[in-house]
Amino acid sequence: EQLLPELKQLFFNEFLDHLRKNYNIKRQDSQVIILKISKEEIIKSSRERAIYSTECKHPVNIINNKNINDLILSFRCYRREKTDNGRDSVLKGEFVIKPFSSRISQIRISGGMWFPQISFDKWDFCTFTHNKLNK
């Protein structure tokens, strides 16, 4: 318990270095979301019963002297059965953003998933618009 803040800082700094070196992500305005879920929870999940992370709020600068609501982003994952390429089921993960001000045309983030247990990670840029609120 006493070492937890130091371990979190060490993990966060090393993880940012990993993103900078391997994915050319240079911004430090970032958040790490950790989902601790069991295999049983994944098996029971579906698109309708997805597993959601906690919400991340990001403040927006004032535009033309008017306040804009914070952007609210979360991550969800679920088991998808019978994919187009013939697999029986896959784990689907996507970022979800709540509807945002019409004064903002689009939002672009860099996000991804990292599974240290199986040495797998996938990162990509995501662009959200008023008609596309998940990716």
Side-chain angles (χ1 to χ4, degrees):
E1 281 291 319
Q2 292 176 338
L3 294 177
L4 194 56
E6 288 83 3
L7 289 174
K8 283 183 179 179
Q9 187 62 40
L10 176 66
F11 170 77
F12 189 72
N13 287 339
E14 286 182 9
F15 193 53
L16 283 179
D17 287 341
H18 170 76
L19 294 177
R20 279 189 207 102
K21 289 176 189 172
N22 297 311
Y23 296 96
N24 199 27
I25 297 171
K26 296 179 179 132
R27 299 254 347 214
Q28 289 192 12
D29 184 19
S30 60
Q31 292 187 4
V32 175
I33 300 170
I34 298 173
L35 281 175
K36 292 187 178 186
I37 52 179
S38 67
K39 183 177 177 181
E40 292 77 24
E41 289 173 303
I42 294 171
I43 290 170
K44 291 178 185 177
S45 68
S46 66
R47 185 169 176 86
E48 296 76 28
R49 294 184 320 246
I51 302 164
Y52 283 84
S53 71
T54 56
E55 294 179 339
C56 297
K57 293 184 180 183
H58 183 75
V60 179
N61 294 333
I62 296 174
I63 300 175
N64 295 333
N65 294 324
K66 292 190 177 180
N67 287 333
I68 302 286
N69 291 336
D70 292 348
L71 300 175
I72 301 174
L73 181 78
S74 60
F75 182 80
R76 71 177 173 196
C77 64
Y78 56 91
R79 184 171 151 245
R80 189 172 96 188
E81 293 191 45
K82 301 292 180 187
T83 63
D84 296 336
N85 63 5
R87 290 186 184 157
D88 286 338
S89 65
V90 294
L91 177 64
K92 174 92 172 153
E94 59 190 2
F95 289 95
V96 180
I97 194 163
K98 289 199 174 176
F100 50 91
S101 171
S102 61
R103 304 186 77 213
I104 300 172
S105 62
Q106 67 180 12
I107 298 163
R108 187 170 191 224
I109 68 164
S110 176
M113 297 186 297
W114 179 40
F115 296 96
Q117 302 90 337
I118 58 173
S119 298
F120 173 82
D121 63 304
K122 181 175 177 159
W123 297 86
D124 199 358
F125 286 100
C126 306
T127 302
F128 300 101
T129 64
H130 295 280
N131 296 326
K132 183 165 180 62
L133 298 174
N134 58 43
K135 167 99 167 103

